Amino acid sequence: MKAATIYERGGKVYIHSSSKTTAGVWVINAPVLTVKKEDVGELGRSIRRCLDASSEGVPHPKSFTNLFDPVLALAGVKSFNTFVKSAKCVEVEMAGETATLIPTRNEGAEDGFVPLPGNTQAAVDTDEALGSAAVAALAMAE
């Protein structure tokens, strides 16, 4: 499986790849991108790029302290707590040729983002379809 995460905050969309460590934990990895939500084609291409960079069996980090720093830098904020206050999140999972987009509910910095059951979108035919599905999933996120 491949994974990526999409955040919407302050009118901008941020996307990062995720990879599974040797200990079975998903961690953020490059690329970390920002795109305009209105450009669904570019949004879809960016999601694909992040999914393509996702892998399994990466070394388990010794520290999780600074893993989210690339997203914070793009957003121009200094802490995860500040970033989370006004963010929406959609998790993306890809198995084979099917991408599943899972909207989440923002539970704050301590509890993070909780998947909303039953609210998924799947599309991989074109970059535009994937980008449109991401916009629809962000609209469902709380």
Side-chain angles (χ1 to χ4, degrees), residues 31-90:
V32 177
L33 309 168
T34 185
V35 297
K36 294 179 182 175
K37 186 166 93 172
E38 300 79 30
D39 189 347
V40 294
E42 184 59 29
L43 178 56
R45 278 186 289 285
S46 296
I47 295 167
R48 269 186 215 283
R49 187 170 160 206
C50 289
L51 289 169
D52 287 344
S54 176
S55 63
E56 294 189 29
V58 301
H60 193 74
K62 292 184 188 331
S63 169
F64 288 81
T65 305
N66 299 319
L67 289 179
F68 204 71
D69 285 358
V71 177
L72 299 179
L74 273 180
V77 297
K78 295 187 189 266
S79 73
F80 181 71
N81 195 26
T82 300
F83 182 85
V84 166
K85 283 181 185 175
S86 61
K88 287 182 164 188
C89 175
V90 171

